[in-house]
Amino acid sequence: MSNSSSTPLPNTNQAYAQAPAVTQQSRPIRSKSVWVGVVLPLACAALLAVAQPFWSSYLSDLIVKIMILSIFALSLHILVGGAGLVSLGHAAYFGLGAYAAVKAAGPDGSNFLVMLGAAVGASGLYALIVGALSLRTKGVYFIMVTLAFAQLAFFVVHDVGYFGGSDGIYLMQRPALGALDMESSSTQYYVVLAALVLVYAFIAMLRHSRFGHALSGIRVNEQRMRAAGFATYGYKLAGFVIAGALAGVAGFLLASRDAVVNPELLAWHHSGEVLLMLILGGVGSLRGAVLGTITFVLLKEVLSTHAIVGNAADHWQLSLGVAIIVLVALLPKGLVGINDKWQKKAQAQSEKAPAATEKGEHHG
Amino acid sequence: MLETLAEKPGTAAAQAMFSLQQIHTYYGDSHILHGVSLALPQGQAVGLLGRNGMGKTTLIRTLMGYVPAREGQVFADGKNITGAAPEKMARLGIGYVPEGRGVFPNLSVKENLLMSARAGLDGQKNWSYERVLETFPRLKERLANGGNQLSGGEQQMVSIGRALMTNPRLLILDEATEGLAPLVVAEIWRVIAQIRQTGISTLIVDRDYKKVLAHTDHVVVMEKGRLALQAESAQLQAQPEQLSALLGV
Amino acid sequence: MADAHNPAAKLSVRALTRRFGGLVAVSHVDIDLHEGEVHAVIGTNGAGKSTLINMLSGELAASSGSIHLEGRDVTQMPQPQRARAGVGRSYQRTTIFPEFTVLENCRLTAQAQARPRPWRIWESAQHCDASLQRAHAALASAGLQHQAQTIAGSLSHGAKRQLEVAMCLATEPQVLLLDEPLAGMGAEETERMLTLLQQLKQGHAVLLVEHDMDAVFRIADRITVMVNGAVVATGTPAQIRVDPVVRTAYLGEEEHA
Amino acid sequence: QDKIKVGFMLPFSGTYAALGNAIENGFRMHVTEQGGKLGGREIEFFKVDDESDPAKATDNVNRLIKRDKVDVIIGTVHSGVAMAMAKAAKESGTVLIVPNAGADAVTGPMCAPNIFRSSFSNWQTAYPMGVVAAKQEGKKNAMTITWKYAAGEEAVNGFKEGFEKNGGKVSKQLTLPFPNVEFQALLTEIAAAKPDAVFSFFAGAGAVKFVKDYHASGLSKTIPLYGPGFLTDGTLEAQGEAAQNMLTTLHYADELGTPRDTAFRTNYAKSFKLQPDVYAVQGYDAAQMLAVGLKAAGGDIAKKDVFRTALEKATIPSPRGDFTLSKAHNPVQDIYLRKVSGKENKKIGIASKALADPARGCRM
Amino acid sequence: MDLATFLVQCLNSVQYGLLLFLLASGLTLIFGIMGVINLAHGSFYMIGAYVAFSLAPYLGQHFITMLLVGVLLAVALGYLLEWAFFSFLYERDHLQQVLMTYGLILVFEGLRAILVGNDVHGVEKPAWLAGSFPLMGMMQYPWYNVFAAVACLVVALLMYYTVNRTRLGMMIRAGASNRDMVRGLGINIKRLYRIVFAVGVALAALAGMIAAPMSSVYPNMGSSVLIICFVVVVIGGIGSITGALIASLLVGFVDTFGKVFFQELSGMSIYLLMAIILVWRPEGLMGKR
Ligand SMILES: Nc1ncnc2c1ncn2[C@@H]1O[C@H](COP(=O)(O)OP(=O)(O)OP(=O)(O)O)[C@@H](O)[C@H]1O
Ligand SMILES: Nc1ncnc2c1ncn2[C@@H]1O[C@H](COP(=O)(O)OP(=O)(O)OP(=O)(O)O)[C@@H](O)[C@H]1O
Ligand SMILES: [Mg+2]
Ligand SMILES: [Mg+2]
């Protein structure tokens, strides 16, 4: 039996938890209504698709960035929200994906599929190796081992000449597949949007599958899962590899958007940042991951824009920090928590005044 | 006889060491305790019986201040202390042995015991480290084991010993004999009797109602968050039919 | 004691030993669990009963000795595999999924055994009939069907203990290793559990660790008594009741005779 | 006529924030001196904090290019960021003036008609030190020490080229990972190897600590420490005693004594209550370069060719002394030999006259 | 490498290791024992250094007094911070602490830029520690480094004693595993933790003050320190002070000799060390199994 108490993260071993078990962090498995789970995300995606021609190129660019980071955050969500495995090295898979894509590209005419394949393959493979080793550990130790392996990858990319050193390498030609040419920014937009929709759908499906439920079980109480007959190591490793490979997809998209990669992509503070986005959104749901990403990116964007906040933009760090602290203080369950609160309130109201059933449909 | 336990403030109940008045407790939206009143007078042993899920633990947790009562008051020595935090309650002389023991896994047995050592409210130090070990000789052999390296029964002993180390005037035992071997259970009842003799009050929750009746002055039976029956233990021992209906035995 | 494993037994254990540093928690224990029998293991606190169960279920590695399941050596088999081979256990300390509903707790453990394989990720877990059926059946046996949709963490202590057993039942094991299933249960639930055990022993081998002597003597077909890691006596309830060693070491001079 | 939009993409937070501020100050000072106009056009400023993070460089530069639609970008300090900026600038055609980042590649393989540099190349500041060390100081055997990253390696290679061409020999090249500042182990190596001289490239806090540690270890008594000027620029207050009498080479020095420089320094000190440094000069000159180009193009920055040819032909009257631009758009400038005296880097001679970067790999 | 050089390198390793322990000691308290994931630890270190820089003009020659004043200020700051930002977080998901401390880092950096600017500063060593003693040929070793190492050992001993031998230490550790139970035993856990947190902050600040004359005082100086502190605490085994001390020395050796022998990839040496140790012993060197 491991000692859960001295490892503050995550709270997997319930053996000694006899304090009130239902706390604010509890996340029962429950099926969301079709409305919130399926229709809303699809509607958002459709809206994004239709609106593209009206965005300015800057906005379109910003949205592409948010979407790529969302894919990145979603991939991490498989681990953090799904299996309770907090990885502080996820940027490594993102960065390796980007590097692999660039390395797989020919000097002229880069094949979209080859690059994508290389990205997924490289990050998936590295995730397999890292996962196999790091899943022996738990809690904070797991966090730190994933960090250690990410740092290893960082230094390899940074110090080995083949990867172009600290200044990184360029992609001479953005990937293309027939008419699908990533040189065009609207193609970029739609490709990334499609990828986001697919990844979101895939992870949602994963969560509702027996595999996903097994991961949740492992998150809550791995000991019991093993006693019931789940080879938990295999489940976790599979989750780890999937998460790594999807991060590779995000990395590939980033590389084909920026056409330049550098070691900083793998840096630990990017692993930290994506984790923060997740926590900000609330680790309980996929919407949280996307919501957190949007909020984080927009907050920073807004707070550092002179046109909006004037000279306060010079001190965007300060204001972003304050904003984060306020959000943490007010939102114990992250941003999705607001939505839940509203829903509850609306429910309570509709219960009190049964006549006003129409009003019940409040969504954040 | 019922009146001795649940009275209006200002009368005997207010004089009691600890008392609860018309307590309503909720977990989130679910209403668990419905207007419970209970007095724990000095030097008395009170038994709390009831089937699973009737609110015994909740009542104790409310008294201890872990769960706030939404309505009602808590008194200590006649003073209204509603809303006092657990540490305050403990300082007022309650030794708490929770359901499920709550042994600190990362502390050794010795540390588990020593960490709570303290003189009682009136300065008495009846319970010392040595005396606890004498009471539970099994622990002597396990002093260096971490709390998570103990058998279930050993943990129970640590939990009781730790509560005694605070030299309480009221000892709350929530299923303290759960998981203990018969010999040890007998020993614990013996200790309880001994404690009772030294004038420490006890509030005992235990599934062995016969033993509870034998070791208490009063018994309170809970049903769905209400007090269904209050009586003197001796009387119930003589006429157990009332109990059988409530406990399903 | 014989060194050979008993081929007729569902689970047969020989010379099983476990050390924690200098402490021998379980020392050369031989036990045979037969189908149709409730085999109780009683003993002082810290005698090594839970450690024994931990080794039988594969949670702890044995320091030495061997375990055979239906004639097969499973001493080295990892816990999950052993569970799927039919060894189910419950925990002395409640080990549930407090965040999930009671039903989901059982469904999840049932899923470990259910066929179509988990990589069919397009299938919804909540509609997995095979595991749902088992879960409902287990809840009914344990008397929790009314609380199927309650969040497990908000159950009372006694109900959690019921759930603990239900989760073990949901995996439909051949061999049941129950670590103090009656602890914390009220009189009624105890009664139900005993009836359930009576039924279960048809077709199952049951190992019951329990301190409730009334229950043990009522239901056990065979009793093993452990003290300080070693078996001091094995026999029928009648034999154990009068065994002088057992009386002094464990039962005490109470009215169990 | 609209204002000319100038976008600063500089580090305003983090380790290099002081440099970013100095560059901005220098630039603004020149604009103010010209009455708020360059080439007859009013100037409007935009700012983006690049955080010295290359992974965010593409997004940050796109904020200026796509959101603010700037005509000119001024940036940045960090080489990796500058490389990503160069890529984006090349693609969008926006004029980029690099006011610091010395990556050889910016005016090497990455050179482009719309990319200019007002500062230096890493090679350029180190090569003369090699020449001086071998010829003037008569050193035969040197060791180098730097962080393992592109800028450090380029500088060290520049030194080596100059040193070995003139009869010296670099016996060992020590590196340590960026931004590690535990030098003790490598200082011990130096003490054991006993070279005639040590050349090192560090900047900012690393430079402070290295110079201090070198001094504290007693090595400075017997083995002189050389470096490009960054080793002692803007850090003398913090280095104090330890830096005294050190020789460095750079395209600028405190108190050059020319009327132009004196005027610059007084004006700067008056405007910002700060002593100017080389970064301020580079910012100032970036503004001068922009002015020259704009003037030739009649204020119309869209006339890219005019703008470019004007700059290629111009002589910039910099506080550091006149300089011209090479084919690859890097300054052709005098490199001074400087000696630390008190809190100043005093010019004691010219290490190399009108030195041009070899611009290896530039095809334009 | 000859023997003399080797010995000096060993000395370097030990000295760096001890300094690391000093840096990590505060984190061992706040993170290792209290269980709060504190990313802002590096910021406290930075604050310490800036405090030293600000106090130096007044107290520069009364170095010990300066340290004391700084520590007191830091305790006050820590006490306040815990009250304002952490007291309500214990009941929540641990991940929320990560977010909170990240916010604090940004705030501290922002305030630092406004209050003291972005320049690199130096702090003079006190005169009585400014000298050095000779070592291996032309090399010298500063007395100040010896002072820092001794300070570290003192802190290590004090901490070890307090946490492992006193009742206060037992309460702190108990609180990390089950707050509610500790309260039920009559211990005011809120106040206790506020004090422990404050002491942790003070230790970080003390490390910053002691390090300031050796390195320098500069923006973001905390962030590079942060990770290595976590590495030390985790390699040692969370909650173990002895472990942290051993881990510090180990990291000191690996870093030093990594730089000497494997220059090309020395950046990854300590991470490789951490990966190997944790794969070998998943709970750290001295972690409880
Ligand atoms: N944390 C909680 N959240 C919500 N409901 C709870 C929580 N804890 C207990 N309950 C509910 O409160 C009721 C009373 O529980 P309590 O634990 O007080 O019962 P009990 O009498 O102590 O039972 P037992 O004998 O099983 O320990 C039960 O119905 C239980 O489901
Ligand atoms: N991880 C461990 N490390 C060291 N000692 C342990 C460990 N786990 C258990 N022990 C010791 O082994 C002995 C047997 O423990 P076990 O839990 O098997 O007892 P048990 O018979 O189940 O007792 P109970 O009836 O009280 O539950 C105990 O003395 C206990 O202290
Ligand atoms: Mg209870
Ligand atoms: Mg047991």
Side-chain angles (χ1 to χ4, degrees), chain A residues 1, chain B residues 101 138 142 145-146 148-155 157 179-181, chain C residues 18-21 23-26 43-54 60 92 179-180 209 211 226 228-229 250, chain E residues 289:
Chain A
M1 256 194 253
Chain B
R101 298 148 194 163
R138 174 94 204 164
R142 293 280 171 278
N145 277 39
N148 57 342
Q149 298 170 329
L150 295 176
S151 82
E154 289 162 349
Q155 293 187 7
M157 299 177 207
L180 294 187
Chain C
R18 171 73 203 200
R19 291 183 200 89
F20 291 113
L23 175 82
V24 186
V26 172
T44 49
N45 291 119
K49 305 178 295 296
S50 299
T51 308
L52 176 66
I53 289 194
N54 280 341
L60 270 180
Q92 179 175 9
D179 201 351
E180 305 201 19
V209 170
H211 286 301
M226 289 176 72
N228 288 334
Y250 181 65
Chain E
R289 314 233 110 200

Side-chain angles (χ1 to χ4, degrees), chain B residues 27 32 51-58 99 175, chain C residues 154-158:
Chain B
Y27 285 121
I32 306 293
R51 284 190 260 196
N52 288 143
M54 291 307 164
K56 305 182 292 290
T57 301
T58 308
E99 191 176 72
E175 316 237 5
Chain C
S154 69
L155 290 176
S156 78
H157 179 63

Side-chain angles (χ1 to χ4, degrees), chain A residues 234-253:
Chain A
Y235 278 86
K236 290 193 288 185
L237 187 56
F240 202 90
V241 172
I242 295 174
L246 288 180
V249 172
F252 157 76
L253 292 172

Side-chain angles (χ1 to χ4, degrees), chain B residues 66 87 90-91 106 111 117-118, chain E residues 167 173 180 183-186:
Chain B
Y66 284 116
E87 53 267 27
R91 290 267 163 191
N106 52 344
E111 291 173 333
R118 154 155 49 93
Chain E
R167 274 189 53 209
R173 282 179 288 142
D180 272 348
R183 301 178 71 194
L185 293 168

Side-chain angles (χ1 to χ4, degrees), chain A residues 265-279:
Chain A
L265 288 175
L266 291 82
W268 70 269
H269 52 263
H270 287 140
S271 301
E273 231 163 57
V274 69
L275 192 59
L276 292 171
M277 295 176 191
L278 218 55
I279 304 169

